[in-house]
Amino acid sequence: MTDPQTTAPVGPDPDLLYSEDEDALRAAVRSLLADRGDPATVLAGLEADRAFDPALWRALATEIGTAGLLVPERLGGAGASAREAAVVLEELGRSVAAVPYLTSAVVAVTALLGCPCDRPEVAAPLAALAEGSTVGVLALPLPTAPGGLPEPAVRADAGGVLTGRVTSVADAVAAELLLVWAQAPEGPALYAVDAAAEGVRTDTVTPLDLTRPLGHLAFDGARGTLLATGERARAAVERALLTGAGLLASEQLGVAEWCLTETVRYTAERTQFARPVGSFQALKHRMAALWLEVASARAAARNAADALATDSPDAAVAVAVAQAYCAPVAVRAAEECLQLHGGIGMTWEHPAHLFLKRAKSDELALGSPGRHRQALAGLVGLDAP
């Protein structure tokens, strides 16, 4: 199949629909989260100063088996794809659950898959992440975007001893395995480091989004295990960032869907002048406009997930489009939810603020919308003058 105007080969049309298996996975994850990770439960955990829910993570990662979705069966995983992982992230966005799925089961797993998986030092941690017995994170600042990989902030000597500091690492406080982008004597490299090892310190910080805690990582003589070097290491990290950004759009979609659904429900129940406020034309128009944006965000997020799942040559374009569009939609949906709930929406007791904070945090995670628009312009040859 070719493009009639350019005669360049193009791939099959993306499949934006959900399969029966994906619907079944959604039902299982949604049931678990409704029982043990709904927004009220998340809020109670934050009040108890518990940002990470280990029990919920074990149930999600191990009992349902979502931690290994992206890992091939021969390496101990489920052998699924980014499409299934996207469904999980949609549901996690709808509940703002405090679990490290994006950072561990998506970003860290993808980084390891880019390393030589036939080596035991790669296969063993990958299997541990796939079965959900270990939480891993890629030690890079949360705002790091695909194509924007910085020079390593950590240095490694010939013996694999690491020195340096990485700031604003998402879910660092929950991590047991750190994948560290470092500068080795022979060039850039990726190392695996035990988060509890001597010479590793994690300093917690208070982020805007309390459900996705941040930490500053300091390495002072910590010993790492070499996973990959040179272009292999760089490609593994870049693919992890691209996959993370693409599937983050599905989480943003879930945030927006919850906000829209909750706003419609609330405005149908709240009355003013003896009428439901949702019947007022001005509010109808606002919610209808938001519904159109959420529907468009679903198409963009599904396109990115499908492109990653099929390893499409246009995956980078699909991810840039999804992030440039879905991030602002999630923020707008959360802002509308907060405002249209009136006074109660401004309180700590109502979970609306959790979704606004997650949406604002996600807007900066793995590249801002502006950064992705800039990347998109370069990818499609529409650079600004």
Side-chain angles (χ1 to χ4, degrees):
M1 180 177 173
T2 59
D3 184 320
Q5 294 183 344
T6 66
T7 69
V10 296
D13 292 336
D15 181 5
L16 305 186
L17 302 179
Y18 298 96
S19 69
E20 290 184 6
D21 288 343
E22 290 164 4
D23 286 336
L25 175 62
R26 179 192 304 282
V29 173
R30 183 173 295 189
S31 176
L32 172 67
L33 294 175
D35 183 50
R36 301 171 61 176
D38 63 291
T41 302
V42 174
L43 189 56
L46 296 180
E47 290 175 339
D49 198 25
R50 188 178 65 249
F52 171 53
D53 189 338
L56 177 60
W57 171 247
R58 283 194 299 272
L60 179 71
T62 305
E63 295 173 20
I64 297 182
T66 61
L69 287 176
L70 297 182
V71 181
E73 292 184 54
R74 62 182 178 82
L75 297 173
S81 73
R83 290 175 59 91
E84 289 78 13
V87 169
V88 176
L89 281 163
E90 284 182 35
E91 294 307 309
L92 292 175
R94 290 176 66 93
S95 71
V96 289
V99 293
Y101 188 82
L102 178 70
T103 48
S104 183
V106 174
V107 176
V109 161
T110 305
L112 281 173
L113 287 172
C115 300
C117 294
D118 56 338
R119 293 168 51 187
E121 54 266 36
V122 176
L126 186 58
L129 291 184
E131 68 182 15
S133 60
T134 296
V135 173
V137 300
L138 180 60
L140 285 174
L142 180 60
T144 306
L149 187 61
E151 290 301 312
V154 177
R155 293 288 182 268
D157 65 15
V161 176
L162 307 180
T163 305
R165 187 167 185 265
V166 185
T167 61
S168 303
V169 179
D171 293 320
V173 296
E176 297 151 307
L177 172 68
L178 304 174
L179 303 180
V180 183
W181 171 243
Q183 182 66 41
E186 64 273 20
L190 189 64
Y191 289 85
V193 180
D194 184 346
E198 183 178 355
V200 179
R201 188 181 76 249
T202 303
D203 299 320
T204 59
V205 296
T206 303
L208 172 65
D209 176 16
L210 297 175
T211 64
R212 179 166 284 152
L214 302 179
H216 300 327
L217 295 173
F219 302 93
D220 185 8
R223 187 169 297 277
T225 300
L226 183 64
L227 302 175
T229 59
E231 287 306 310
R232 183 70 179 266
R234 184 180 296 276
V237 175
E238 283 287 3
R239 182 67 184 186
L241 293 173
L242 182 71
T243 303
L247 295 187
L248 177 62
S250 292
E251 179 179 287
Q252 292 161 334
L253 170 62
V255 169
E257 285 184 330
W258 184 92
C259 292
L260 176 59
T261 300
E262 180 64 18
T263 302
V264 171
R265 183 200 63 77
Y266 180 77
T267 55
E269 294 177 356
R270 181 187 172 194
T271 60
Q272 193 172 28
F273 306 115
R275 291 175 55 192
V277 296
S279 67
F280 298 160
Q281 189 175 38
L283 298 192
K284 283 183 179 181
H285 284 191
R286 287 172 66 170
M287 286 183 282
L290 187 58
W291 182 90
L292 288 173
E293 292 185 11
V294 172
S296 298
R298 183 180 299 108
R302 289 299 293 169
N303 182 49
D306 186 74
L308 290 167
T310 58
D311 201 21
S312 167
D314 289 330
V317 172
V319 169
V321 169
Q323 268 305 303
Y325 189 81
C326 294
V329 169
V331 172
R332 174 168 153 74
E335 290 173 342
E336 288 286 83
C337 179
L338 197 74
Q339 186 176 54
L340 295 181
H341 271 75
I344 192 175
M346 308 293 178
T347 65
W348 172 267
E349 288 74 15
H350 195 281
H353 67 93
L354 296 177
F355 290 85
L356 178 59
K357 292 169 182 174
R358 174 63 69 88
K360 291 297 290 184
S361 174
D362 281 358
E363 190 177 31
L364 300 178
L366 297 167
S368 66
R371 172 68 177 78
H372 286 285
R373 284 193 293 269
Q374 183 180 30
L376 177 62
L379 288 167
V380 300
L382 289 177
D383 292 326

